[in-house]
Amino acid sequence: MIEIQYNDRQKRIIEIVKEHQPVTSEKISKLLNVNRSTIRPDLSILIMTGILDARPKVGYLYVGDQEDKVIANHIRNVKVNDLKSMPVVVDEKTTVYDAIVFMFMKDVGTIYVTSNGYLSGVVSRKDFLKTAIGGNDIRKIPINVIMTRMPNLIIAFSNESIYEAAQRLINCEIDSLPVVERLLIDNSEVYKVVGRISKTNITKFFVELGTKEFGGLEDA
Ligand code: ADP
């Protein structure tokens, strides 16, 4: 992002407009104790850079940051449910070999593992590579031997914001989160896998965001 460097007088004009808007150039010049002609070029720059708006017969208004707020607001309102894709799931008795073939067929980077239908683990490309270069017989080892397992799994819920999910992906340095529903079975908590949020989902969303026009400033 390009950071615009305003001079001291321009910064003071911004503060005056924020405080007194809508405000005429006459009032701004009085508050600054300078001639109107002195601040004319400053006002032109502030309008050109989008921080101020000039309304004829009304005066100057502060509009800076508003568009950023609209975008931030929009991102925080989008839910995991709106972007999640189909999960790719195997049972924990599946062999590493079969799981690798399945991963290629489904064209994903992470597979979720279930035990009795509920989430028990996650396996990524690197887990498979580690197992393969370790000289193991991948046709014999079940996937639950190599997976990252409960309770160390990082998950997401459908009603969370996509912003929270993206933060979790970055903070935990992983590529995807299983989207789950929490259930109580025989007094113990289990998770049903209902989707997947990956860095690809977030990138697609980012691209869509880039093609949008943010006109609804009143949402900010
Ligand atoms: P890659 O294999 O491409 O590095 P990740 O960065 O997603 O993929 O995985 C790195 C490690 O984190 C792997 O050991 C994987 O099992 C584990 N992992 C991946 N996703 C999760 C998750 N949602 N929760 C816990 N661990 C995970």
Side-chain angles (χ1 to χ4, degrees):
M1 194 165 141
I2 301 167
E3 181 113 356
I4 301 161
Q5 295 292 328
Y6 297 114
N7 66 31
D8 285 347
R9 193 170 54 224
Q10 289 161 353
K11 285 181 193 158
R12 289 197 57 204
I13 293 174
I14 295 168
E15 291 314 311
I16 289 171
V17 176
K18 270 188 192 170
E19 200 179 327
H20 300 276
Q21 62 183 329
V23 54
T24 60
S25 59
E26 204 174 350
K27 185 161 180 194
I28 299 171
S29 58
K30 267 197 193 136
L31 288 166
L32 286 173
N33 222 358
V34 294
N35 287 327
R36 265 173 82 183
S37 56
T38 312
I39 60 166
R40 208 164 285 139
D42 295 323
L43 288 169
S44 304
I45 286 170
L46 293 170
I47 289 167
M48 255 165 28
T49 54
I51 198 133
L52 296 189
D53 189 16
R55 299 264 168 86
K57 298 203 180 92
V58 177
Y60 291 89
L61 293 162
Y62 177 76
V63 288
D65 315 307
Q66 296 243 18
E67 206 158 289
D68 286 354
K69 278 192 212 149
V70 173
I71 295 168
N73 219 27
H74 175 70
I75 291 171
R76 282 163 198 266
N77 279 330
V78 174
K79 301 286 176 211
V80 164
N81 196 42
D82 304 327
L83 296 187
K84 72 179 185 214
S85 43
M86 288 295 288
V88 174
V89 180
V90 296
D91 180 82
E92 64 176 15
K93 292 194 190 75
T94 311
T95 64
V96 169
Y97 179 89
D98 285 345
I100 292 174
V101 172
F102 195 55
M103 181 182 253
F104 272 105
M105 274 165 48
K106 295 292 178 182
D107 195 19
V108 287
T110 317
I111 288 187
Y112 304 140
V113 184
T114 53
S115 166
N116 298 318
Y118 300 116
L119 181 66
S120 61
V122 166
V123 183
S124 75
R125 282 174 284 220
K126 233 176 267 160
D127 297 325
F128 284 134
L129 284 173
K130 261 191 264 169
T131 313
I133 62 172
N136 301 288
D137 187 351
I138 60 170
R139 288 176 193 265
K140 291 218 176 99
I141 307 175
I143 199 163
N144 66 0
V145 173
I146 70 158
M147 69 189 188
T148 302
R149 59 185 59 247
M150 283 293 204
N152 299 325
L153 300 187
I154 321 288
I155 53 177
F157 295 97
S158 293
N159 59 356
E160 285 186 278
S161 92
I162 200 66
Y163 175 71
E164 289 171 284
Q167 270 187 323
R168 216 167 292 147
L169 287 173
I170 295 296
N171 293 341
C172 302
E173 298 181 2
I174 47 177
D175 291 347
S176 87
L177 303 170
V179 182
V180 297
E181 262 171 39
R182 194 185 276 131
L183 303 171
L184 258 188
I185 306 277
D186 296 335
N187 271 337
S188 55
E189 236 177 34
V190 289
Y191 295 108
K192 188 175 152 204
V193 185
V194 295
R196 169 170 63 102
I197 280 288
S198 67
K199 286 182 177 168
T200 308
N201 295 116
I202 310 281
T203 310
K204 272 189 194 152
F205 171 62
F206 179 80
V207 170
E208 277 164 25
L209 204 61
T211 59
K212 267 199 170 113
E213 279 179 35
F214 284 86
L217 292 181
E218 65 277 6
D219 293 348

